Amino acid sequence: MMEHATRVGNRLLAALPPADFALLAPHLRKVPLPHDAVLVRSGDRIEHLYFPCSGAIAFIMELPNGQTAATAVIGNDGAVGLMTALGPLRSPMTAVVRVAGTALQVSPARFQTALERSPAIRRLVQILTRALMTQVQHVAACNALHSVEARLARWLLHIHDRTEGSSDALPLTQETLSELLGVRRTTVTHIVSALRASRALKSSRRGQLEIDRQRLEIVACECYKVMSRRIDRIVSQDAVRLLHAAPARNGCPPPDFPFAKTDS
């Protein structure tokens, strides 16, 4: 399973039984996720589903007055556009790439066809929905109860987790942090200065933050560890159960890798 997960990239897709994954594989295209790319905007029709293999994507809620705030951050443990499983809906939020990576892209129509034939893919949608709702609920509570400094530390840790810890430098501007937190840039400036004073941030050069993860975990509220444990439990334990799901109807053998379609 580990070899399969490495080759597929997305943790949930990798957990699908071979016959179920084969329903999607011919239609998956590996695409780049450029830094700051907008995958879908709030109110737009969802044209593609994305299953990230690497990088970090923020879900942003936009209010009519122009204010924004992040509701969730996902990586290879999530997906963008799963609302299409409920029908041809418009996106309730904006999805923005915050750390560049890659994803497996599929059209809603192709995904819906596979969904109708596969109990395991239906279970996949349930798992991803549970994980996302868990994160959104924790973020809502955290925003109401904890300081902006602790909330920023939490977001930075969540994003760093989804960069696979390859670097302590995160490509985040103060404008991006303002968008994540739903506060003014002047507030962000004060918070960044405070984190630098506590050495949780080693540096804050233009367009990049270098973190000290150990110190950042001290600053972050308890929501970070609680949220991370609960989401990982949903993704990891429920993904294992997928391996024992009922096989897809008219299943076929697993496809060869790499994927035939790749956008570079």
Side-chain angles (χ1 to χ4, degrees), residues 103-116:
L104 297 175
Q105 181 193 80
V106 65
S107 73
R110 295 291 190 183
F111 185 79
Q112 187 67 36
T113 298
L115 182 74
E116 291 170 358

Side-chain angles (χ1 to χ4, degrees), residues 5-66:
T6 300
R7 293 159 74 191
V8 174
N10 183 272
R11 289 171 62 186
L12 270 298
L13 287 183
L16 287 171
D20 299 84
F21 182 69
L23 297 174
L24 286 172
H27 312 295
L28 294 170
R29 181 186 342 217
K30 196 165 189 177
V31 298
L33 298 177
H35 177 59
D36 283 346
V38 178
L39 302 182
V40 64
R41 292 191 181 277
S42 176
D44 287 354
R45 290 193 178 277
I46 300 171
E47 302 292 340
H48 302 286
L49 280 75
Y50 296 89
F51 292 88
C53 301
S54 59
I57 299 167
F59 290 154
I60 305 295
M61 185 62 66
E62 298 176 297
L63 300 180
N65 64 1

Side-chain angles (χ1 to χ4, degrees), residues 128-143:
L128 289 171
T129 301
R130 281 182 58 205
L132 182 60
M133 288 303 299
T134 297
Q135 188 173 172
V136 169
Q137 289 171 341
H138 271 286
V139 168
C142 184
N143 288 349

Side-chain angles (χ1 to χ4, degrees), residues 100-219:
T102 61
L104 297 175
Q105 181 193 80
V106 65
S107 73
R110 295 291 190 183
F111 185 79
Q112 187 67 36
T113 298
L115 182 74
E116 291 170 358
R117 295 176 58 187
S118 168
I121 294 177
R122 291 196 292 275
R123 179 65 173 159
L124 172 80
V125 173
Q126 294 172 359
I127 293 169
L128 289 171
T129 301
R130 281 182 58 205
L132 182 60
M133 288 303 299
T134 297
Q135 188 173 172
V136 169
Q137 289 171 341
H138 271 286
V139 168
C142 184
N143 288 349
L145 299 173
H146 297 136
S147 70
V148 181
E149 185 176 342
R151 287 161 46 201
L152 176 56
R154 172 177 55 77
W155 279 129
L156 293 177
L157 289 167
H158 282 313
I159 292 171
H160 187 248
D161 287 344
R162 286 154 179 83
T163 64
E164 301 175 352
S166 57
S167 172
D168 287 337
L170 302 176
L172 302 172
T173 64
Q174 290 203 6
E175 182 178 358
T176 297
L177 299 181
S178 174
E179 182 182 66
L180 285 170
L181 292 166
V183 300
R184 297 179 183 274
R185 287 187 60 180
T186 52
T187 303
V188 171
T189 300
H190 292 311
I191 300 168
V192 168
S193 296
L195 291 178
R196 288 191 65 182
S198 67
R199 293 188 291 175
L201 287 182
K202 297 177 184 177
S203 66
S204 55
R205 298 186 298 274
R206 183 176 179 83
Q208 192 172 75
L209 296 177
E210 186 178 2
I211 69 169
D212 182 311
R213 185 176 177 95
Q214 187 173 4
R215 287 190 170 95
L216 203 60
E217 288 183 2
I218 295 173
V219 176

Side-chain angles (χ1 to χ4, degrees), residues 85-99:
L86 304 177
L89 302 176
R90 296 183 182 274
S91 178
M93 61 191 70
T94 297
V96 185
V97 178
R98 285 308 175 207
V99 177

